[in-house]
Amino acid sequence: MAYGDLSPTVKNILLLDSEGMRVAVKYYSDDWPTNSAKLAFEKSVFTKTHKTNARSEAEITMLENNIIVYKFVQDLHFFVTGGDDENELILATVLNGFFDSVALLLRNNVDKREALENLDLILLCLDEIVDGGMILETEANVIVGKVGTNNLDSAGSLTEQTITQALATAREQFTRSLLR
């Protein structure tokens, strides 16, 4: 029995926009050896799922001997793929951990524009959730804590915010003051 047989594995995690285009993707399996094979798989996943109503909770489907768990929020589509022998509940836990982490990182403003502006954090988030197909963490607060630590290490300090972050913070405070 190989080591991978002992623990559940993820083949890929996809974050696509409402037109099926990539926002952030990570592949952990050699099932799609070329970039064109990966793009074709993403297109087929999107085509099969885009008309479903997976907005309130995660949905599950089968495609090409893979189990795909997915969820849509505004103009973003979140997907986690595992083999046909993987446990759907574990894949759904990974999906929810990824979605909740992204929601925390984007301050519940989960849309394509915010995701692209914070793509570095989303990719770090993917790295904290899965490594080489092995699931490392699914708890959103822990993932965001690790991503925040990595981000602080690379940024130097909180006082060195980017202009985008400073504007986002100002916009958030302004919105709160208007809603009071």
Side-chain angles (χ1 to χ4, degrees), residues 45 58 66 69-71 88 93 100 103 108 126 136-137 143 149:
V45 167
N66 294 302
V69 183
Y70 59 98
K71 183 176 188 173
E88 296 89 353
T93 302
D100 292 343
N108 287 324
L126 288 172
L136 301 176
E137 184 63 63
I143 296 164
T149 303

Side-chain angles (χ1 to χ4, degrees), residues 98-155:
F98 178 44
F99 170 74
D100 292 343
S101 299
V102 169
L104 285 170
L105 288 170
L106 301 182
R107 298 181 189 102
N108 287 324
N109 189 14
V110 182
D111 64 11
K112 182 180 177 182
R113 189 174 71 65
E114 283 292 320
L116 290 173
E117 286 178 4
N118 295 285
L119 189 58
D120 57 336
L121 297 177
I122 292 173
L123 293 172
L124 282 172
C125 186
L126 288 172
D127 290 339
E128 293 296 336
I129 296 170
V130 176
D131 184 25
M134 186 181 304
I135 300 165
L136 301 176
E137 184 63 63
T138 58
E139 181 62 41
N141 292 325
V142 174
I143 296 164
V144 170
K146 289 180 180 179
V147 167
T149 303
N150 290 342
N151 196 34
L152 287 179
D153 291 345
S154 64

Side-chain angles (χ1 to χ4, degrees), residues 13-77:
I13 298 178
L14 310 173
L15 179 57
L16 306 178
D17 67 11
S18 59
E19 298 167 359
M21 303 305 291
R22 286 181 172 182
V23 175
V25 298
K26 282 276 190 161
Y27 284 83
Y28 309 103
S29 167
D30 295 331
D31 291 1
W32 305 276
T34 64
N35 194 44
S36 59
K38 292 173 182 174
L39 290 170
F41 177 75
E42 292 164 22
K43 182 177 180 179
S44 63
V45 167
F46 180 78
T47 302
K48 180 166 182 157
T49 61
H50 80 282
K51 291 185 180 177
T52 61
N53 187 17
R55 298 205 177 270
S56 58
E57 58 185 56
E59 296 284 333
I60 301 170
T61 191
M62 292 282 293
L63 179 67
E64 300 172 5
N65 294 324
N66 294 302
I67 296 173
I68 303 167
V69 183
Y70 59 98
K71 183 176 188 173
F72 305 154
V73 177
Q74 293 189 35
D75 59 352
L76 291 177
H77 297 205

